[in-house]
Amino acid sequence: MEKRVTFGRWTIGILFAVPQLILIFTFFYWPAGQAVYWSLTLQQPWGGGNIWVGLDNFRSILANADYWNSITASLTFAAISTGLAMVIALVLATLTDRQLAGSRLYRVVLIWPYGIAAPALALAFRFILAPEAGFMAAVNKFWPGFWDPGLDGADAMASVIIAFSWKYVGYNFIFFLAALQAIPRSLIEAAAMDGSGVVRRFWDIQFPLITPTIFFLLVINITESFQDSFGIVDIMTSGGPANATNLMVYKIYSDGFRGLDYSGAAAQSIILMLLIILLTIVQFRFIERRVHYR
Amino acid sequence: MVERTPILNFFTHLILFAGFVFCVAPFVIVAIAASHNLKDVNDVPMSLLPGSDFWINIKTAWTTADLGPKLLNSFIMAAGVAAGKVIISALTAFSIVYFRYPGRTLIFWLIFVTLMLPLEVRIVPTYAVVANVLSPYQAIMDVTGLSWLIEKISGVQVSLSLGLLNSYTGLIMPLIATATGTFLYRQFFLTVPDELAEAARMDGAGALRFFIDILLPLSRNNMAALGTIMFLWAWNQYLWPLLITTDQSHATAVTELKQLIPNVGGAPEWHIAMAGTLIVMLPPLIVVVLMQRWFVRGLIATEK
């Protein structure tokens, strides 16, 4: 889409974009370029110069079992938590969209988790899922050794997944509800008049019409599961036990800032960037083909 | 609805109620735990009846984590990011939509790419830039020979240095440097009728006049939506403030939560931790509650 009317003199036009350009150059393009450069050199911590090593950093990362473990953990985390958050939110949004008594109250409350900081809910869930206090302790009393996220990797992974999906149920709910409410009532009522049931109407009318939202949320959830997970992991498990929850972003942080391995952290950042860019491209292709814009 | 489906309605209510419990339970548990004393909070299972120590725990958490100044820092940071995004994105979108100049498409794509790479993945080099925000410019001068030239001519050795660690500027600027808002405005500006700009031009109004007097008032809803979303997003940031505020005077409330994780060994002070969590949870929750009616409506309006 183009504007018919524009304001001449291009020098003034560019001036309006200058603040944004300076900001993204300084805090986006320069660091991103720096990350590429560092990933190809061996960077001494605290500025002791650097040596060009080509792809050696990538080779040594990819040869490291810890890194593969971190990729597997991230993918597991992304798949399960995205799946949970999407399905639960879609079910709740579809049900709230049916106009029953009380829907409004549900609507109000189901949005709350959206506003909570990941680390705050992580601390809340750390308490709720603590093995020695509260409710899981009661389960442990009944069934000794059932739950211990401090020692058992699977339990720790389950804890961070629960906390993350809880937050994103709220987030997805808002978008699903908005998409569902945008569907004209008359369409659904006409189908009902033709005798199609609730389930049938969902699959034949509502679901196809909200596919753009579904794909949009899918990509947002997956990308966020690679980034927003940091606070949850840091507060709940610190990547442990035995690296079970050492997700990719957390590993970049701990290798870069605790291990002072800038080159290794930079190379990991590049791999994560490529992964996220790849996901975004896949989404665009997919949406272009599958989804019809109205 | 058009038909009577009592059984389905029953299950709808059942599932929605489960969803309700699922969403509210953590808040309730946090609030109840915050009202217990040390012994009760560690009871197995914890009593779901509120205890009597709520205000004492809130006070203890407030002073232990020094939450007053931390909340103020969070507020300054979130408001700064929200304001920065709202202003800068509007300027850029205006430039992209209402002007035709060489390189406009390039600028559009340069900005678009920033959506793909979040701060978290370029965190290490961004930290280095903030430690000396002029380092990119120094490097450019060095490479182009400009600093050599200046040294030859004036005898002054150029070394630009401006550290932003432990400063509000350092907290805020890198978070503004993405394009989230630019596209919201762009989409909106494209829907503004051409006749408005035409009329403005015929009345002799320049670009700036049109922008301030016509375009911005029309985008009031967009500005409020973007401002709210960015405020929440910035308030909830964790990794970035954790890294660059080594000095307590600029730490934010969210990063302070880490201080409240009970130590291993001894009875864990979960009641204090939960009181602190409650305090930190509250401000964004209030924003969500105040804005939500309008928020969902705004989303629907853009769809239609």
Side-chain angles (χ1 to χ4, degrees):
Chain A
M1 245 212 290
E2 285 282 337
K3 282 276 174 199
R4 205 151 32 82
V5 186
T6 50
F7 290 89
R9 273 173 309 181
W10 64 277
T11 33
I12 299 181
I14 282 190
L15 272 184
F16 280 102
V18 162
Q20 173 97 295
L21 290 175
I22 291 179
L23 271 180
I24 63 175
F25 169 74
T26 316
F27 296 109
F28 185 88
Y29 282 99
W30 183 267
Q34 196 85 334
V36 174
Y37 176 64
W38 283 0
S39 74
L40 299 171
T41 55
L42 203 56
Q43 176 87 17
Q44 327 277 15
W46 316 125
N50 41 39
I51 322 149
W52 185 264
V53 293
L55 293 175
D56 277 3
N57 289 322
F58 290 94
R59 271 185 218 112
S60 67
I61 287 169
L62 293 175
N64 187 338
D66 276 356
Y67 189 64
W68 285 101
N69 165 58
S70 159
I71 292 183
T72 323
S74 291
L75 293 179
T76 315
F77 178 79
I80 303 180
S81 53
T82 300
L84 278 178
M86 297 272 294
V87 172
I88 297 176
L90 183 56
V91 169
L92 292 175
T94 315
L95 294 179
T96 345
D97 186 49
R98 307 186 69 224
Q99 288 164 340
L100 297 176
S103 305
R104 181 157 294 175
L105 173 71
Y106 293 126
R107 245 176 253 173
V108 170
V109 173
L110 288 172
I111 291 176
W112 287 2
Y114 168 73
I116 304 303
L121 71 94
L123 190 54
F125 274 102
R126 188 176 165 141
F127 167 66
I128 292 168
L129 300 174
E132 76 284 344
F135 311 97
M136 292 317 282
V139 177
N140 275 341
K141 213 172 192 177
F142 182 71
W143 191 347
F146 173 77
W147 180 256
D148 195 352
L151 287 176
D152 185 314
D155 291 356
M157 181 58 96
S159 313
V160 289
I161 286 174
I162 291 171
F164 183 87
S165 341
W166 188 79
K167 172 165 177 158
Y168 278 85
V169 164
Y171 181 87
N172 296 343
F173 179 81
I174 301 176
F175 284 91
F176 279 139
L177 188 64
L180 287 168
Q181 300 217 318
I183 299 174
R185 278 287 135 197
S186 53
L187 213 60
I188 293 166
E189 274 159 20
M193 230 97 84
D194 287 348
S196 73
V198 174
V199 177
R200 185 70 195 269
R201 289 205 297 268
F202 176 75
W203 288 114
D204 287 355
I205 299 173
Q206 291 170 310
F207 190 81
L209 283 177
I210 60 167
T211 41
T213 310
I214 293 177
F215 287 123
F216 165 76
L217 288 179
L218 200 60
V219 172
I220 297 281
N221 278 219
I222 293 174
T223 22
E224 287 298 333
S225 82
F226 285 105
Q227 310 143 25
D228 203 20
S229 52
F230 178 84
I232 295 180
V233 170
D234 193 38
I235 296 272
M236 288 184 90
T237 64
S238 304
N243 286 332
T245 54
N246 200 1
L247 306 184
M248 291 169 87
V249 173
Y250 197 76
K251 193 165 158 54
I252 292 174
Y253 162 80
S254 53
D255 287 5
F257 290 95
R258 292 221 205 103
L260 296 182
D261 173 14
Y262 286 172
S263 313
Q268 290 179 41
S269 307
I270 301 292
I271 295 175
L272 185 54
M273 284 182 197
L274 292 177
L275 198 66
I276 293 178
I277 290 176
L278 190 76
L279 281 169
T280 316
I281 293 171
V282 167
Q283 180 224 20
F284 270 95
R285 295 245 132 166
F286 211 35
I287 283 187
E288 288 300 316
R289 224 171 282 153
R290 285 289 302 275
V291 177
H292 51 275
Y293 295 104
R294 272 167 292 160
Chain B
M1 199 79 258
V2 271
E3 78 253 88
R4 294 166 54 87
T5 47
I7 300 175
L8 188 76
N9 287 357
F10 174 74
F11 280 106
T12 302
H13 278 295
L14 203 68
I15 296 171
L16 284 179
F17 186 71
F20 177 82
V21 172
F22 170 80
C23 278
V24 174
F27 294 109
V28 174
I29 294 174
V30 167
I32 291 174
S35 73
H36 283 314
N37 57 34
L38 180 61
K39 183 190 151 298
D40 288 349
V41 83
N42 284 300
D43 259 2
V44 178
M46 185 185 91
S47 158
L48 284 177
L49 297 172
S52 53
D53 287 1
F54 186 75
W55 294 111
I56 301 172
N57 294 338
I58 293 280
K59 217 173 156 187
T60 318
W62 186 275
T63 43
T64 331
D66 197 16
L67 281 175
K70 306 287 148 59
L71 286 168
L72 183 67
N73 288 341
S74 285
F75 185 80
I76 292 173
M77 171 183 160
V81 170
K85 283 258 192 196
V86 165
I87 294 167
I88 284 176
S89 315
L91 289 173
T92 319
F94 181 57
S95 165
I96 292 174
V97 174
Y98 278 98
F99 290 88
R100 217 156 285 164
Y101 49 83
R104 193 176 61 121
T105 327
L106 176 70
I107 291 183
F108 176 80
W109 282 106
L110 278 178
I111 295 171
F112 185 76
V113 169
T114 61
L115 284 177
M116 291 194 217
L117 301 178
L119 182 61
E120 279 85 351
V121 300
R122 54 199 157 83
I123 194 85
V124 183
T126 308
Y127 180 84
V129 167
V130 171
N132 176 10
V133 77
L134 295 179
S135 62
Y137 303 95
Q138 172 82 43
I140 289 172
M141 288 174 77
D142 288 350
V143 170
T144 55
L146 205 61
S147 31
W148 176 83
L149 199 68
I150 293 173
E151 196 178 342
K152 272 285 171 221
I153 295 169
S154 63
V156 180
Q157 205 190 345
V158 182
S159 79
L160 304 172
S161 161
L162 176 60
L164 293 179
L165 299 179
N166 291 312
S167 76
Y168 292 122
T169 325
L171 269 173
I172 293 169
M173 293 291 227
L175 293 176
I176 299 181
T178 57
T180 3
T182 311
F183 291 91
L184 190 75
Y185 281 113
R186 177 179 174 269
Q187 295 312 99
F188 177 72
F189 288 172
L190 286 175
T191 66
V192 171
D194 274 346
E195 286 73 20
L196 276 177
E198 231 158 44
R201 262 217 324 221
M202 254 185 269
D203 287 351
L208 199 62
R209 200 11 39 114
F210 172 70
F211 180 63
I212 293 173
D213 285 352
I214 298 174
L215 217 46
L216 286 188
L218 281 177
S219 9
R220 218 180 296 131
N221 280 341
N222 285 289
M223 290 164 106
L226 183 67
T228 312
I229 295 169
M230 285 304 136
F231 185 90
L232 290 173
W233 176 72
W235 180 282
N236 291 342
Q237 282 294 312
Y238 179 69
L239 178 54
W240 183 245
L242 184 73
L243 278 179
I244 81 147
T245 58
T246 44
D247 165 13
Q248 282 297 301
S249 63
H250 286 84
T252 65
V254 174
T255 57
E256 278 313 285
L257 283 171
K258 206 171 181 180
Q259 317 295 328
L260 291 171
I261 300 175
N263 298 324
V264 195
E269 297 190 313
W270 281 117
H271 53 313
I272 307 296
M274 289 304 106
T277 307
L278 197 63
I279 298 172
V280 177
M281 272 180 173
L282 225 48
L285 192 62
I286 292 170
V287 174
V288 170
V289 169
L290 288 180
M291 300 306 250
Q292 69 180 357
R293 174 180 276 268
W294 166 90
F295 193 64
V296 176
R297 206 191 297 148
L299 279 171
I300 297 168
T302 57
E303 279 279 305
K304 266 189 175 153

